[in-house]
Amino acid sequence: MAAHAAAPAGRRISTHGWAGPAAVGILYGLYAATVARHGGPTTLGQLWLGLISAIVLAVSIRTLHRHGRALPRELHAAAWGSLSGIAVGFLFSLSGASILSSSGLGLAFGVVNAAGAYYMYYTHEDAQGRPAPY
């Protein structure tokens, strides 16, 4: 009587890989280049701006996904709030808005996102204070 072979262990498809951050980064870079055009023709500088913006945002998101769990929930939420506030403030500044209004919008957006992230991290932990496995 022959024993059957064990089924090979399948690889888990992780949503926290590079696909999500890369997609967000590409969309952000395209939008940054479009906003920087101000309705004129596309230049090489605008394409570089979009490419660098996309890379910086994608790497930042990937880094927070990968290493953010090591932070306490307050710092983890503050990091997400800072990242989102900086990203929104930068896009708004590309439209020609003043530094004060860009900083104010970025600060408001960052505070709201940090509060939402803190609420999510605080309510999704077990009785011992360990975060949920996501």
Side-chain angles (χ1 to χ4, degrees):
M1 178 181 266
H4 67 280
R11 291 181 54 187
R12 281 188 40 179
I13 297 174
S14 174
T15 58
H16 295 294
W18 278 104
V24 171
I26 289 169
L27 291 173
Y28 184 85
L30 288 172
Y31 192 71
T34 303
V35 170
R37 277 184 41 204
H38 298 292
T42 303
T43 64
L44 188 60
Q46 294 160 355
L47 294 177
W48 277 110
L49 173 76
L51 180 66
I52 292 171
S53 299
I55 291 171
V56 167
L57 187 68
V59 168
S60 300
I61 291 172
R62 173 69 175 151
T63 302
L64 270 177
H65 271 294
R66 188 167 174 95
H67 301 293
R69 293 183 200 141
L71 297 172
R73 66 175 167 243
E74 294 85 3
L75 290 178
H76 195 186
W80 279 113
S82 298
L83 179 63
S84 64
I86 290 168
V88 168
F90 175 69
L91 279 182
F92 192 59
S93 71
L94 288 178
S95 69
S98 70
I99 297 296
L100 185 61
S101 62
S102 299
S103 300
L105 181 68
L107 181 65
F109 201 82
V111 167
V112 168
N113 278 321
Y118 178 76
Y119 177 77
M120 185 190 73
Y121 296 141
Y122 186 74
T123 57
H124 290 82
E125 60 185 18
D126 60 8
Q128 286 79 29
R130 291 186 304 260
Y134 53 78

